[in-house]
Amino acid sequence: LFEGEEAYFRDGGVAQLLKRYVSDKTLDYITFEGSAIKSNAAAFSAACAAYPFLSEKRLVRVTEWYPSEKEYEAVLKPLAENPAPDTILAVTNSAKQKTGAAKLSAKKGITVVDCARADESTLVKWIFLTLKRAGIVCDAETCAKVAEYCAHDMSRIYSETQKLLDYCAATGAERLTDSMAEEVVSPDNQYKIYELSNALASGDCGRFERIAAELFIRGFDETALLSSLVSYFRTLFEVSNAEGTEKEIAATLCMNEYEVKKTRRQAREFGKKTVERYYEYLFLTMGKIKSGALTPPAAFKEAKVKLLLGGA
């Protein structure tokens, strides 16, 4: 069971199993969608019981499978507790638990691989070492900026690091600088919302307008921008008011510990009252759009005047 929100680790785990055990994917590798197994249980069970043809083992992959206890007892339990010796069943789930679903990680016979997002220090180290192995010198601050631009998503970090390596090879550069990273790496929308929120809370009108214009070019409209800001300040509000350790808050809010730590730090910088005021105002502004009291462009303009200029 490869379980967690980081697709890079889930897919990477299956790729390692394929490389180690499967020499012919055409014959000895089969995939199922979890939602289709209930209506196709016989074919799934048969696939798990079949012998490999040309490979050491046969690999059956199921994506996003959250069986109920009843489905687990009927379909998965016999396979988990009495597995075919020549077959590997790999279940890849982005969520660790869903309401009404069996807790697969607690079941007998299932090996669990945690595919949650890595913390910042691990990601920065991965970028640093990947560049170093290619002969590229880069300091930790620049590596941290690359990770931040990619919203700490390992799939994006991998692809953007490959872009940086290609860029250095094409230009003959042996050192990666901040300006080079800013030129090559495209900031994730999530990071741009983070920047937009910072500009809003600090009252930096020019920066707010520049970031908003960039997001409009990327396909956002006024409603999407306001909705993203509501979501961002809601998270700040919830984390700033939550009690307990970062680990406990992360479990309650379905976040990882690094995100909680970072969000807490930003909430402290803004101030608890500012976070609450901005969240309340933005939430009410979205209500005006939904009720038809304001058009999205008018609501966005009103929010800018109220929050950036203090209602002037």
Side-chain angles (χ1 to χ4, degrees):
L1 174 63
F2 295 96
E3 187 179 65
E5 67 269 34
E6 187 55 81
Y8 179 85
F9 297 141
R10 298 196 308 270
D11 294 340
V14 174
Q16 288 190 47
L17 289 173
L18 283 168
K19 183 178 179 180
R20 169 64 180 83
Y21 293 107
V22 180
S23 55
D24 191 324
K25 290 196 289 185
T26 305
L27 297 170
D28 295 319
Y29 176 52
I30 186 169
T31 63
F32 290 87
E33 290 290 335
S35 58
I37 287 182
K38 186 174 288 188
S39 59
N40 208 16
F44 169 68
S45 297
C48 291
Y51 286 101
F53 190 66
L54 294 175
S55 306
E56 183 179 345
K57 290 185 183 293
R58 179 177 175 82
L59 180 61
V60 179
R61 178 179 183 174
V62 187
T63 58
E64 301 301 320
W65 191 24
Y66 305 95
S68 64
E69 282 289 347
K70 184 177 180 181
E71 190 179 1
Y72 162 77
E73 290 285 338
V75 180
L76 186 54
K77 185 177 180 179
L79 300 172
E81 296 190 358
N82 187 29
D86 298 310
T87 299
I88 299 170
L89 172 61
V91 180
T92 55
N93 286 348
S94 58
K96 291 195 172 185
Q97 184 67 19
K98 285 199 172 181
T99 304
K103 189 175 182 181
L104 299 185
S105 59
K107 300 299 184 183
K108 180 183 175 183
I110 296 178
T111 300
V112 183
V113 181
D114 187 354
C115 296
R117 286 195 173 185
D119 59 40
E120 184 183 29
S121 61
T122 301
L123 298 174
V124 169
K125 185 177 180 181
W126 185 91
I127 297 167
F128 178 84
L129 291 175
T130 301
L131 293 170
K132 184 180 179 180
R133 291 189 191 105
I136 307 300
V137 177
C138 184
D139 59 42
E141 288 76 15
T142 301
C143 293
K145 177 171 283 189
V146 173
E148 193 81 50
Y149 273 21
C150 296
H152 300 93
D153 180 280
M154 189 60 205
S155 296
R156 279 215 66 215
I157 287 173
Y158 174 81
S159 62
E160 294 299 327
T161 303
Q162 295 306 308
K163 279 171 59 179
L164 289 169
L165 289 172
D166 291 341
Y167 177 85
C168 290
T171 59
E174 295 181 353
R175 184 178 189 88
L176 183 70
T177 64
D178 255 16
S179 59
M180 292 162 66
E182 289 169 2
E183 181 182 350
V184 176
V185 180
S186 304
D188 189 274
N189 286 339
Q190 186 178 336
Y191 180 76
K192 300 306 291 184
I193 294 296
Y194 163 77
E195 286 191 315
L196 191 71
S197 302
N198 273 339
L200 187 64
S202 63
D204 191 333
C205 301
R207 186 160 171 252
F208 182 90
E209 290 289 4
R210 286 194 300 274
I211 298 168
E214 186 178 336
L215 287 167
F216 285 140
I217 292 172
R218 293 186 180 199
F220 278 72
D221 57 17
E222 289 86 356
T223 302
L225 262 185
L226 285 170
S227 179
S228 296
L229 287 171
V230 169
S231 177
Y232 194 86
F233 277 97
R234 181 179 66 238
T235 301
L236 286 175
F237 176 75
E238 289 175 343
V239 170
S240 65
N241 283 280
E243 296 182 355
T245 64
E246 288 168 359
K247 185 175 183 179
E248 290 168 342
I249 296 171
T252 302
L253 299 180
C254 298
M255 300 168 66
N256 64 44
E257 288 183 54
Y258 169 72
E259 288 174 323
V260 172
K261 183 178 180 179
K262 177 185 168 185
T263 304
R264 264 185 165 176
R265 184 172 65 240
Q266 190 181 20
R268 282 196 298 268
E269 290 171 358
F270 289 169
K272 215 170 184 180
K273 290 184 178 179
T274 299
V275 168
E276 184 174 359
R277 180 166 60 87
Y278 278 44
Y279 170 48
E280 182 180 12
Y281 178 78
L282 289 164
F283 182 83
L284 292 173
T285 301
M286 283 301 297
K288 291 178 182 179
I289 293 175
K290 292 176 181 178
S291 68
L294 286 176
T295 64
F300 188 65
K301 287 179 182 178
E302 184 183 276
K304 287 193 294 184
V305 171
K306 176 73 175 177
L307 299 179
L308 281 169
L309 303 176

